[in-house]
Amino acid sequence: MFNNNKKQIDSASQLDLDRIPKHIAIIMDGNGRWAKKRHLPRVAGHKQGMETVKTVTVAASKLGVRVLTLYAFSTENWKRPMDEVNFLMGLPVKFFNNFVPELIENNVKVSVMGLIDQLPEKTQKAVRDAVAQTSQCTGMILNFALNYGSRLDIRTAMQQIAREVENKTITVSEIDDALISRHLMTGFLGENADPDLLIRTSGEQRISNFLLWQIAYSELVFTETLWPDFDGDTLKEMILTYQHRNRRFGGLKNEE
Ligand code: FPP
């Protein structure tokens, strides 16, 4: 109470704890290269990547992040060899089988976005069970983009909106940014639908059909670190970079 005007700085990382991004989205890249460097099959990288998801989830939750959206499988990833796709489809099952209690301990609520109905039955069940088991949690939302693509997201939203116009539920002039946001797959996140910070690992600097509408004003941070090597300290580094940016949202000075 007495420290209302004093910045809360984490001395080890220099993070301003009052300016933690509310919504962080991550393109988790580099699993295959991590495995190759170790002469391991690509799937070993994905398995290690799943361990990183656990570490980063707990770290983000402890920092006070409100939403962590992870790009786990894109609508384009079906093009990968069948064995790799099958392995990736098994990861949510492995992940939730042993991690749900820790998610609940950390008050983390699981959500998913994407074409879930097209996933194998066992993956669907694992995901739906985890959503149900954590539904009472009120802390960070761990939002998995699974069989997600941003053009699919925008196309589906446009179709829904067009139908509403056709049914005369809304008029064309009622279509504004807020209405579009509500119809996107991130709509359920309300005021936190748009990421403040988007991270991509492994040195690639692309968006790869991820949250195209939602990242209009996000800060983009790229790191050479491969996803399986990413950890709580890397997350803090990324947030520190974010905190050094001057977010203007099209205006002239720092309006945050
Ligand atoms: C991209 O690396 C990574 C993926 C397509 C899969 C990401 C999935 C995980 C990190 C695990 C998800 C965990 C859960 C619980 C669902 P890449 O294979 O393209 O790497 P490369 O560019 O080095 O080949």
Side-chain angles (χ1 to χ4, degrees):
M1 285 300 257
F2 298 107
N3 282 341
N4 261 355
N5 295 324
K6 216 171 161 210
K7 276 190 174 185
Q8 304 273 332
I9 303 287
D10 174 53
S11 53
S13 64
Q14 286 306 301
L15 278 186
D16 177 348
L17 298 174
D18 297 325
R19 289 181 55 238
I20 297 295
K22 291 190 175 69
H23 183 172
I24 301 180
I26 309 185
I27 303 176
M28 309 178 288
D29 198 6
N31 294 347
R33 276 163 283 168
W34 182 92
K36 194 170 174 202
K37 275 196 344 196
R38 288 162 178 76
H39 309 286
L40 294 169
R42 289 179 54 78
V43 294
H46 294 317
K47 186 157 178 271
Q48 194 57 41
M50 180 188 75
E51 295 304 321
T52 303
V53 170
K54 295 180 184 171
T55 309
V56 170
T57 298
V58 174
S61 156
K62 289 200 189 311
L63 283 169
V65 172
R66 304 298 306 153
V67 182
L68 178 66
T69 296
L70 301 177
Y71 205 8
F73 193 86
S74 77
T75 44
E76 287 73 37
N77 285 151
W78 296 106
K79 294 180 203 156
R80 294 189 176 209
M82 200 178 68
D83 281 357
E84 186 172 341
V85 169
N86 285 341
F87 189 87
L88 287 169
M89 288 300 143
L91 282 183
V93 182
K94 285 197 186 74
F95 179 81
F96 291 123
N97 262 352
N98 62 39
F99 198 55
V100 165
E102 206 168 327
L103 290 174
I104 295 172
E105 236 166 74
N106 284 280
N107 199 19
V108 172
K109 180 178 180 145
V110 175
S111 63
V112 273
M113 56 177 198
L115 295 182
I116 304 306
D117 296 352
Q118 292 180 357
L119 302 175
E121 278 299 330
K122 63 176 191 340
T123 314
Q124 286 191 40
K125 181 169 168 16
V127 162
R128 292 193 211 283
D129 286 353
V131 169
Q133 286 160 348
T134 60
S135 64
Q136 301 304 313
C137 295
T138 54
M140 188 179 83
I141 296 176
L142 174 61
N143 182 33
F144 282 102
L146 260 178
N147 200 15
Y148 174 87
S150 188
R151 288 186 172 182
L152 159 81
D153 192 1
I154 293 170
R155 187 171 69 241
T156 314
M158 286 173 82
Q159 288 166 343
Q160 284 169 7
I161 293 168
R163 244 175 257 124
E164 288 174 24
V165 173
E166 211 171 52
N167 297 338
K168 304 207 187 316
T169 322
I170 56 166
T171 61
V172 168
S173 58
E174 282 177 289
I175 303 173
D176 59 8
D177 287 4
L179 181 123
I180 295 170
S181 288
R182 281 200 300 278
H183 282 78
L184 292 168
M185 293 179 190
T186 41
F188 74 99
L189 296 168
E191 60 174 8
N192 292 326
D194 296 345
D196 303 290
L197 167 62
L198 173 79
I199 298 169
R200 183 169 188 148
T201 59
S202 89
E204 306 293 343
Q205 303 197 358
R206 289 188 292 278
I207 301 303
S208 301
N209 201 15
F210 194 42
L211 303 174
L212 298 176
W213 170 277
Q214 295 89 333
I215 59 167
Y217 288 104
S218 305
E219 292 298 329
L220 312 184
V221 178
F222 301 99
T223 172
E224 293 293 325
T225 305
L226 304 175
W227 178 249
D229 291 328
F230 199 97
D231 61 13
D233 287 338
T234 336
L235 179 70
K236 286 182 178 173
E237 269 172 45
M238 305 288 97
I239 298 176
L240 196 60
T241 304
Y242 162 88
Q243 291 185 343
H244 287 145
R245 301 267 177 92
N246 180 10
R247 297 188 83 193
R248 295 197 297 269
F249 300 94
L252 290 181
K253 52 181 200 282
N254 195 343
E255 292 170 356
E256 206 177 23

